[in-house]
Amino acid sequence: MRADQILHPTPQGLYCPPGDFHIDPTRPVARALITHGHADHARAGHGSVLATQQTLDIMAIRYGEDFAGQVQPADGPIRIGDVTVSFHPAGHILGSAQIAVTPDHGPKIVVSGDYSRTPSPTCAPFEPVPCDVFVTEATFGLPVFKHPDPAVEMARLLASMTEFPERPHLIGAYSLGKAQRVIALARAAGIDAPIAIHGAMQRLCDYHIEQGIDLGPLIPATADQVPAQLVIAPQSAFSTAWVQRFRDPVIGFASGWMAVRARARQNGVELPLVISDHVDWPQVTQTIRDLFPAEVWITHGTEDGLLRWCELNGFPARPLRLVGYEDEPE
Amino acid sequence: MKPFATLLERLAFTPARNAKLRLLRHYLDSTPDPDRGYALAALTGDLKLRSVTPSLLRGLVAERVDAQLFTLSYDFVGDLAETIALIWDSEADEDIPLHQAVDLLQSTGKSGLPAAITALLDRLGASQRLAFLKLATGNMRVGLSARMARMALADMGGPPVAEIEEIWHGLTPPYQPLFDWIAGGARPENAAKAPFRPVMLSTPTDLDQLRALDPTEHIAEWKWDGIRVLAINDGGIRRLYSRTGEDISTAFPDLIEALNFDGTVDGELLVRRGAEIASFNDLQQRLNRKTVSRAMLASHPAGLRVYDLMIWQGRDLRDLPLSARRALLDAADFGSDRIDASPVLDFTTWDDLAALRASPPNPVIEGVMIKRRDSAYVAGRPRGPWFKWKRDPMVVDAVLLYAQRGHGKRSGFYSDFTFGLWDGADLVTVGKAYFGFTDEELRQLDRFVRQNTTDRFGPVRAVKPELVLEVAFEGLNASSRHKSGVAMRFPRISRIRWDKPAAEADRLETLKAMIG
Ligand SMILES: [Zn+2]
Ligand SMILES: [Zn+2]
């Protein structure tokens, strides 16, 4: 079988005919394999869902227990139709996985989903899986994206908290994954005081703690007076009246996009923090070099840059132009 | 240069003035000489370096990066220096002192410059590369005035800002003698002629407050609507400074030529055609121009109306009482018909003065000044001896169209309001105001914006055109940059007209008719 007979793009998402399943479908399908719990990859309403136990738990928290007809936790190689699938850590968020699809005869394909090679206390590290076709994102697929060491960004946050001790620091972070990554990084940087979290991320933080991730003391950022200098909230909260309880706050935002000043300005941010849970340019190009696949397929992002790099470096590559995935959720 | 790069980045994203000042002061406190002096000069635009052209930089990066990848990246980032700083492929992150970078740009010959820049970029991390490239292209854009820089210096705990301003113009980067003085050393000898002297400012008043004062102990004069300046002829060296200490001599060569006296005088810069004083709008035409055309010099001649003498014919008069200074001012010969003394007003009671203020003889008058006869000339804004009693502001009823979220203390509140007036059946934007209201009114406006949003663009919301705001302002200028054709001076929201239907707001014609 050729690679595009094993996996090809459809309006619902990537489809595998010999196994009759979709990977990260953006519309309801009979059988879905899901890489991770971000809303653009994990949607409710599928007939059955195969994913890591943590991704299934996260989907239940976000959509309710009945988010799918049937669920099955991924554990070891699983035979589906005429292919074997297996899940491998992607280093993106808690529970995130790459999905390897191995046919009996033909090329092995790894769909990496969203992934990162920057170590995070919140999830297992990316595991390189040798393959013939590597399916990659290109969220930060331009050579300007070289994310700094997160510890350096944390040092900048700490410096600002020291420089402006009377001002609360409100850091925008996506509720699932980024928020917990930022909290864990803050702990690693030596911030021991209680960190306040917006109500929208309470249950997801609780779940991380249940899974054994040390987030330290967290308090809700809901009272009129929030006794914490560091507050984590989804970016969307900054345009609501919720912010008004804070006196003269420093508004920050944790995102890979903050590396570009114009992006930071659009968001009205005073303290841009370049903290990402996606591969940056050196990581994505190094991963392709490491795996040395016969072919590279690019799902979403700034694929033109990565296509050009593959061309310059002799990797046959093609864009899948999958629609429905966000750049990096904000 | 790491601390400098960090400072630049923080300043670029920090909107509040006080927060900017604190960042700068911490930098100055913790950075050794001569780097902090060079940083200060770079931020205020006083550092004269060989300017590196964009085409030189493009050439450097073309040798290192695939053209197509560079184009894609530049399209995304939107700024050349930033794109190069980010895309430059070097793993190094040395901390190179700022003065080394300055030295490279000051002393490298033109032919050696590309190789020198490449070699330096290879040793720096991304944020330092950006700082260096901004320095090299002379494009800091962090919103820091020279005045703020001097305030940050004063915050370091040494001499007050007025004393720093007096010597500032005699110093050059990296300001070593200044930092020595701040650290407790000797006051730098002021080598420069015609130094800036900080001016004396007034506080606002009104009739009720004036009634508590004795009119016989005060003199009054018109408050002219021009630019407050310091005009100096110090042994033949002539200079014009704005009241914040910016040297504006080059914009007004005609007035410089007319400073045929020996002294330092405080007055109002005006456009005057013979005896006639022209509007602020006319003066506006002369501002912010690096070169002034001969036609402009003829059609908009600059003049000076003198309020006070600080130094006159070799004598520092600032400790004398105003009455003594005024006697010398009335007798002074300025050697030019472009310069005269601002006349003293004749009044006995505060009600007399109120009557004069209500019907000034010239539209360029924006109120009256009231000064104690015994007041010495003191730098800054002491409370008491000098008052300004401005004419009542002009007002229009406008319709709220857009609101933008504020920063700092106003985070989370829609606090910057754009308003418009009727032009036919349309509302045309005429201005923007972000003060004038109380905290309670801000909460009410914020609620209105949230409940009446029709569209969102980043931090800005469009609202249903339903709320009428009474907007007060100090004057109007014709403006080709504004779609409405007019620009308001100091607009603020004086009242929220919850009662008034939007259809009854004012029309653009009404506003245009107010142009003086
Ligand atoms: Zn994701
Ligand atoms: Zn994604």
Side-chain angles (χ1 to χ4, degrees):
Chain A
M1 258 190 287
R2 290 196 326 263
D4 61 357
Q5 292 171 318
I6 298 164
L7 215 51
H8 63 82
T10 69
Q12 286 78 28
L14 271 181
Y15 178 62
C16 174
D20 190 23
F21 60 80
H22 289 82
I23 295 178
D24 288 353
T26 54
R27 300 181 199 170
V29 298
R31 175 155 208 171
L33 273 60
I34 290 179
T35 58
H36 69 287
H38 276 150
D40 51 334
H41 297 257
R43 294 177 194 248
H46 302 306
S48 77
V49 169
L50 172 61
T52 64
Q53 183 62 53
Q54 288 165 329
T55 296
L56 294 173
D57 293 343
I58 287 165
M59 291 178 76
I61 289 171
R62 305 187 104 188
Y63 303 125
E65 293 291 342
D66 54 351
F67 66 89
Q70 261 188 319
V71 300
Q72 182 187 353
D75 189 12
I78 299 166
R79 186 81 187 162
I80 307 178
D82 293 333
V83 297
T84 302
V85 300
S86 55
F87 285 60
H88 309 269
H92 174 55
I93 62 168
L94 182 62
S96 66
Q98 316 169 68
I99 299 175
V101 180
T102 314
D104 295 338
H105 306 284
K108 176 173 177 177
I109 304 178
V110 167
V111 180
S112 53
D114 290 341
Y115 66 108
S116 171
R117 305 196 69 173
T118 307
S120 167
T122 62
C123 57
F126 176 89
E127 174 193 318
V129 182
C131 55
D132 302 298
V133 178
F134 184 58
V135 185
T136 180
E137 57 151 319
T139 302
F140 296 110
L142 286 170
V144 287
F145 291 110
K146 295 169 198 153
H147 301 325
D149 180 346
V152 170
E153 296 302 284
M154 276 298 136
R156 294 177 51 239
L157 170 62
L158 234 63
S160 178
M161 290 172 68
T162 311
E163 190 137 39
F164 297 102
E166 76 289 6
R167 300 175 71 189
H169 283 55
L170 273 53
I171 307 302
Y174 193 70
S175 296
L176 169 60
K178 188 66 67 66
Q180 296 78 24
R181 189 181 279 250
V182 171
I183 293 168
L185 285 167
R187 296 307 183 200
I191 296 178
D192 299 326
I195 295 174
I197 54 171
H198 187 271
M201 45 187 59
Q202 182 73 53
R203 288 194 61 196
L204 288 163
C205 284
D206 289 346
Y207 178 68
H208 277 74
I209 294 165
E210 282 165 29
Q211 290 293 305
I213 292 150
D214 184 10
L215 299 181
L218 301 179
I219 57 171
T222 43
D224 281 349
Q225 297 279 328
V226 179
Q229 201 199 349
L230 181 56
V231 183
I232 315 291
Q235 171 81 352
S236 57
F238 295 152
S239 57
T240 68
W242 171 80
V243 185
Q244 295 173 4
R245 74 195 66 216
F246 301 99
R247 226 184 114 69
D248 195 12
V250 175
I251 304 276
F253 187 30
S255 162
W257 297 116
M258 294 299 101
V260 173
R261 287 188 166 194
R263 279 294 188 106
R265 284 218 182 80
Q266 273 167 18
N267 285 282
V269 169
E270 185 167 344
L271 185 66
L273 297 173
V274 188
I275 296 173
S276 175
D277 45 23
H278 292 260
V279 275
D280 63 0
W281 178 262
Q283 288 178 359
V284 69
T285 53
Q286 189 59 46
T287 302
I288 295 170
R289 281 200 178 102
D290 291 348
L291 297 173
F292 212 80
E295 235 183 287
V296 176
W297 294 356
I298 303 170
T299 53
H300 63 299
T302 42
E303 57 259 43
D304 292 346
L306 194 54
L307 283 169
R308 175 66 179 163
W309 180 88
C310 287
E311 185 191 334
L312 291 170
N313 289 275
F315 291 97
R318 71 177 177 111
L320 299 180
R321 306 208 194 278
L322 293 178
V323 291
Y325 299 121
E326 291 166 26
D327 287 347
E328 179 178 34
E330 292 180 1
Chain B
M1 200 154 71
K2 278 185 185 177
F4 178 63
T6 304
L7 175 69
L8 271 191
E9 152 125 9
R10 290 305 310 270
L11 288 175
F13 284 102
T14 300
R17 191 184 150 87
N18 282 340
K20 278 189 157 87
L21 277 176
R22 193 186 300 180
L23 290 165
L24 181 56
R25 180 170 58 81
H26 286 172
Y27 172 82
L28 295 174
D29 277 338
S30 58
T31 306
D33 293 313
D35 280 17
R36 56 182 175 177
Y38 283 125
L40 200 63
L43 291 169
T44 56
D46 291 323
L47 195 59
K48 301 289 172 259
L49 299 174
R50 176 191 301 283
S51 183
V52 174
T53 61
S55 67
L56 188 155
L57 295 179
R58 278 169 181 278
L60 296 184
V61 77
E63 289 174 15
R64 304 279 287 244
V65 182
D66 173 60
Q68 196 177 326
L69 283 174
F70 181 79
T71 304
L72 287 167
S73 299
Y74 186 23
D75 281 353
F76 190 92
V77 174
D79 177 274
L80 183 67
E82 192 182 340
T83 308
I84 295 173
L86 291 170
I87 211 168
W88 198 263
D89 53 344
S90 153
E91 296 286 297
D93 193 13
E94 286 180 53
D95 191 0
I96 299 204
L98 178 60
H99 68 265
Q100 278 187 24
V102 169
D103 187 54
L104 181 152
L105 290 167
Q106 272 175 341
S107 59
T108 310
K110 199 171 177 203
S111 59
L113 203 55
I117 292 174
T118 297
L120 187 62
L121 289 175
D122 278 341
R123 296 169 62 190
L124 302 174
S127 72
Q128 288 189 86
R129 288 196 294 263
L130 181 58
F132 173 69
L133 291 170
K134 293 276 171 193
L135 191 71
T137 50
N139 184 3
M140 291 290 167
R141 277 211 211 116
V142 290
L144 195 88
S145 66
R147 165 88 185 158
M148 282 170 72
R150 296 192 291 265
M151 288 175 70
L153 287 165
D155 280 349
M156 293 174 76
V161 70
E163 289 187 32
I164 292 174
E165 280 178 333
E166 287 219 358
I167 60 143
W168 179 263
H169 289 273
L171 300 173
T172 50
Y175 314 118
Q176 182 73 53
L178 174 64
F179 285 108
D180 290 346
W181 182 36
I182 289 170
R187 185 178 194 271
E189 273 310 309
N190 186 9
K193 285 265 188 188
F196 174 72
R197 314 271 177 189
V199 301
M200 179 159 174
L201 302 169
S202 58
T203 52
T205 190
D206 59 28
L207 191 54
D208 282 348
Q209 292 177 34
L210 286 171
R211 288 204 196 284
L213 304 176
D214 180 353
T216 63
E217 287 176 358
H218 294 80
I219 69 156
E221 61 193 323
W222 296 121
K223 183 175 183 347
W224 299 92
D225 187 9
I227 302 169
R228 182 84 178 277
V229 292
L230 209 61
I232 305 174
N233 185 332
D234 180 3
I237 305 292
R238 300 161 184 230
R239 269 194 235 285
L240 271 179
Y241 291 106
S242 74
R243 71 175 174 84
T244 54
E246 311 313 317
D247 188 335
I248 55 171
S249 309
T250 50
F252 298 96
D254 45 349
L255 183 54
I256 287 286
E257 199 177 305
L259 302 179
N260 299 316
F261 54 78
D262 172 15
T264 297
V265 309
D266 170 359
E268 197 84 12
L269 176 63
L270 298 156
V271 165
R272 49 193 306 180
R273 302 184 180 95
E276 181 226 350
I277 304 283
S279 70
F280 187 82
N281 199 11
D282 278 350
L283 178 56
Q284 195 89 3
Q285 313 288 318
R286 289 287 304 267
L287 294 176
N288 305 323
R289 284 171 191 269
K290 286 227 169 71
T291 56
V292 198
S293 70
R294 193 170 298 181
M296 183 61 79
L297 288 173
S299 63
H300 294 69
L304 183 69
R305 193 143 264 191
V306 180
Y307 294 130
D308 215 326
L309 302 180
M310 295 161 76
I311 296 169
W312 192 245
Q313 291 169 349
R315 202 173 142 210
D316 191 337
L317 309 181
R318 286 179 288 179
D319 288 337
L320 296 184
L322 172 63
S323 50
R325 294 199 308 274
R326 185 75 217 191
L328 288 165
L329 170 59
D330 287 336
D333 175 5
F334 293 103
S336 166
D337 56 5
R338 287 171 185 258
I339 307 176
D340 60 8
S342 181
V344 168
L345 300 179
D346 186 16
F347 74 104
T348 310
T349 66
W350 294 122
D351 289 310
D352 295 344
L353 190 62
L356 286 168
R357 169 181 170 272
S359 55
N362 187 317
V364 197
I365 288 167
E366 56 166 359
V368 292
M369 297 292 302
I370 298 140
K371 301 174 176 175
R372 278 190 67 93
R373 288 179 186 278
D374 62 1
S375 56
Y377 194 101
V378 189
R381 200 188 296 275
R383 263 207 87 78
W386 287 15
F387 299 99
K388 57 184 167 196
W389 186 15
K390 290 181 103 172
R391 71 172 168 225
D392 295 330
M394 304 185 216
V395 293
V396 284
D397 285 336
V399 181
L400 177 62
L401 298 176
Y402 304 97
Q404 184 170 349
R405 283 208 303 278
H407 289 286
K409 298 204 160 54
R410 288 162 160 195
S411 284
F413 287 96
Y414 285 87
S415 60
D416 296 12
F417 303 100
T418 301
F419 45 83
L421 296 177
W422 292 105
D423 184 21
D426 300 323
L427 283 162
V428 180
T429 299
V430 293
K432 210 172 176 181
Y434 44 90
F435 66 105
F437 35 80
T438 63
D439 287 353
E440 178 50 34
E441 284 171 328
L442 175 59
R443 271 188 283 280
Q444 293 166 356
L445 287 165
D446 179 75
R447 208 172 309 133
F448 175 87
V449 170
R450 291 175 191 279
Q451 288 168 357
N452 292 278
T453 300
T454 56
D455 212 344
R456 294 162 191 240
F457 326 88
V460 178
R461 292 189 183 201
V463 299
K464 282 188 206 145
E466 285 179 358
L467 182 61
V468 177
L469 304 173
E470 183 188 274
V471 177
F473 52 98
E474 294 304 316
L476 276 175
N477 302 319
S479 162
S480 51
R481 279 192 302 132
H482 293 73
K483 201 174 144 204
S484 61
V486 287
M488 293 176 170
R489 294 171 59 200
F490 307 119
R492 66 247 182 210
I493 293 169
S494 50
R495 219 150 41 115
I496 309 172
R497 297 294 307 267
W498 300 105
D499 56 311
K500 193 163 188 170
E504 291 174 22
D506 282 316
R507 311 193 60 78
L508 184 58
E509 303 95 270
T510 315
L511 184 69
K512 283 185 167 166
M514 293 179 178
I515 296 183

